[in-house]
Amino acid sequence: MHSAVSVITAKRDGGELSDAQIDWVVDAFRRGEVADEQMSALAMAILLRGMTRRETARWTGAMIDSGKRMDFRDLGRPTVDKHSTGGVGDKITLPLSPLVAACGAAVPQLSGRGLGHTGGTLDKLEAIPGWQADISASRMREILADPAIGAVVCAAGADLAPADKRLYALRDVTGTVESIPLIASSIMSKKIAEGTGALVLDVKVGRGAFLKHLDQARELATAMVELGTDAGVRTVALLTAMDTPLGCTAGNALEVAESLDVLAGGGPADVVDLTLTLAREMLAQAGIDGIDPADALADGRAMDQWRAMISAQGGDPDAPLPSSRHTETLYAPASGTLTRLDAMDIGLAAWRLGAGRARQGDPVQAGAGIEMHAKPGDPIKEGQSLLTLHTDTPEAIPAALELLRDAYTIGEASDVRAQPLVLGRITA
């Protein structure tokens, strides 16, 4: 006979939980037999003691089994998804999903909302007038089956790994978010339950990422690739740099506008490069050969797919994007070369301006955020525009400016330390 206390003490004392213990405690938590404080204690024990590959896989399976599984194997086209662990200016999902769909795959992309300094894909898309994040499973299937659309970016339904949703809320308030096995199982339980045939993971590492160190990012990426592989999902992970914000914008409508630039054949080089790199990985995992996604950007197919994707979820692709009522520009105090632009400071400042939220459920300002007029390596002249702040709440500007005064360094060109965008690749 199992009990919450016996499972907690077994893990607290460094033991390896059995399959039966894991299955029981997750199901009992779902049913309310295991109380929130007991699951919080178990989460802390897992944070401190860790989990083996077998335990993590079984825990993930139990989270999946707490709800429903989706199945898209009868669509007639391969399915592939992408997940990012989150960063500043990370708008890649927006151009990537229609681009991969334009190349012949179906992309069921379940996404989330931003919290703190990292932006959320759903918040960005909700800046588009009329666009809806919540759609039914049947409507999702209809969109994916239509080759003129082929991509869905939406919120996960309430019946997808519901036990994980409850556990995530507890981890957020009990100091157990950082547990690698629990992060990996939280992400992968939803991705596996989603029913995708293949998955590419973008694991961010650096100042503006959740994971600051490469060894942490590699550990998480390896755990997630193992979970996907063990579940029969073809999975690969890229470790990508997040010391500097991606692109030249951080903020919801601002990032949508920049994504449209990419889909139109322009956009910042780092956003284009990472979009194409991830698109090639996704197509390879989906088994689609002989198609260069750069061609689908250049000839407008990706833009056509974007318009169809936005329209399918109620959005108006021709409607003007929201803009903030107040702007303020920070000017360069000296000439030289921009040698550093700190992703964490930019993300926190954008959050202060209203682009993010402190708690789940808080509203966000669609137009709030920061434009970056230069990136590391660019020459700077004294007095030129460096950063422009956008907000509907001008009283937030002084606190944001205080953060931004330490967000950049102007020095000599020789001081620029070039870093590759992709820092590593993890496969099964």
Side-chain angles (χ1 to χ4, degrees):
M1 183 70 179
H2 300 292
S3 73
V5 173
S6 66
V7 176
I8 293 165
T9 54
K11 179 50 67 178
R12 181 200 66 190
D13 296 339
E16 185 174 339
L17 300 181
S18 69
D19 289 353
Q21 284 177 309
I22 291 170
D23 292 346
W24 176 83
V25 77
V26 171
D27 183 59
F29 175 58
R30 179 189 63 81
R31 291 183 284 105
E33 184 177 336
V34 170
D36 285 356
E37 58 267 28
Q38 292 174 314
M39 184 55 89
S40 297
L42 179 56
M44 183 61 75
I46 292 169
L47 171 74
L48 297 174
R49 292 295 193 171
M51 276 183 160
T52 65
R53 177 173 178 173
R54 181 201 60 78
E55 284 179 291
T56 307
R58 190 72 178 202
W59 185 273
T60 304
M63 289 292 172
I64 295 168
D65 290 342
S66 73
K68 295 182 178 179
R69 291 188 189 225
M70 303 175 80
D71 188 347
F72 297 116
R73 285 175 293 183
D74 60 349
L75 281 182
R77 8 170 36 196
T79 53
V80 60
D81 190 7
K82 185 272 298 183
H83 177 82
S84 169
T85 55
V88 178
D90 183 7
K91 59 205 52 87
I92 301 298
T93 292
L94 277 63
L96 179 64
S97 298
L99 173 60
V100 173
C103 295
V107 184
Q109 175 87 51
L110 298 183
S111 294
R113 302 185 187 283
L115 189 62
H117 77 281
T118 60
T121 298
L122 300 183
D123 297 324
K124 301 181 208 302
L125 286 167
E126 282 179 338
I128 300 169
W131 187 87
Q132 298 293 320
D134 297 311
I135 60 173
S136 68
S138 59
R139 179 58 180 150
M140 187 176 181
R141 176 178 292 277
E142 288 173 4
I143 295 171
L144 291 173
D146 186 341
I149 312 171
V152 171
V153 183
C154 64
D159 56 359
L160 207 70
D164 177 70
K165 289 186 178 69
R166 283 193 63 202
L167 177 58
Y168 185 88
L170 292 181
R171 288 167 55 216
D172 194 40
V173 297
T174 57
T176 53
V177 169
E178 291 82 0
S179 168
I180 294 293
L182 294 181
I183 297 170
S185 66
S186 179
I187 292 170
M188 295 303 294
S189 62
K190 291 187 282 288
K191 292 299 179 184
I192 295 166
E194 166 193 277
T196 187
L199 177 65
V200 175
L201 300 161
D202 180 3
V203 181
K204 303 291 185 191
V205 56
R207 278 278 301 159
F210 176 69
L211 300 170
K212 311 298 183 190
H213 305 291
L214 192 58
D215 56 347
Q216 292 177 312
R218 187 173 284 113
E219 181 184 357
L220 175 59
T222 299
M224 292 194 292
V225 168
E226 288 173 348
L227 286 172
T229 302
D230 291 349
V233 178
R234 296 180 299 281
T235 309
V236 65
L238 298 186
L239 309 178
T240 66
M242 187 33 74
D243 284 323
T244 300
L246 268 169
C248 299
T249 58
N252 300 310
L254 294 171
E255 292 188 50
V256 174
E258 192 166 79
S259 300
L260 287 168
D261 288 343
V262 173
L263 288 164
D270 57 350
V271 177
V272 175
D273 288 349
L274 187 54
T275 299
L276 290 174
T277 297
L278 289 168
R280 290 177 180 123
E281 290 283 357
M282 290 173 73
L283 293 174
Q285 293 301 305
I288 296 175
D289 301 317
I291 295 178
D292 186 353
D295 294 337
L297 273 186
D299 65 16
R301 280 180 290 150
M303 179 65 88
D304 291 342
Q305 217 88 13
W306 160 270
R307 293 177 61 83
M309 182 183 84
I310 296 303
S311 297
Q313 289 176 239
D316 181 354
D318 295 313
L321 292 168
S323 58
S324 289
R325 292 192 293 270
H326 302 274
T327 62
E328 183 149 338
T329 299
L330 191 154
Y331 299 97
S335 297
T337 298
L338 189 66
T339 61
R340 181 184 66 91
L341 190 60
D342 188 276
M344 177 62 84
D345 288 340
I346 295 289
L348 288 173
W351 168 62
R352 294 254 185 196
L353 293 168
R357 53 174 62 83
R359 297 182 303 274
Q360 293 285 0
D362 285 352
V364 297
Q365 296 177 29
I370 297 173
E371 284 182 273
M372 294 155 264
H373 302 295
K375 296 290 288 283
D378 290 346
I380 298 293
K381 289 187 177 180
E382 182 179 353
Q384 82 170 62
S385 299
L386 200 58
L387 301 164
T388 298
L389 289 63
H390 298 250
T391 186
D392 290 335
T393 49
E395 62 271 20
I397 288 175
L401 284 173
E402 194 61 34
L403 283 164
L404 293 173
R405 295 195 196 285
D406 295 323
Y408 64 92
T409 302
I410 297 174
E412 302 295 329
S414 57
D415 296 333
V416 178
R417 288 179 292 180
Q419 184 185 44
L421 200 55
V422 178
L423 306 174
R425 185 174 185 270
I426 308 294
T427 67

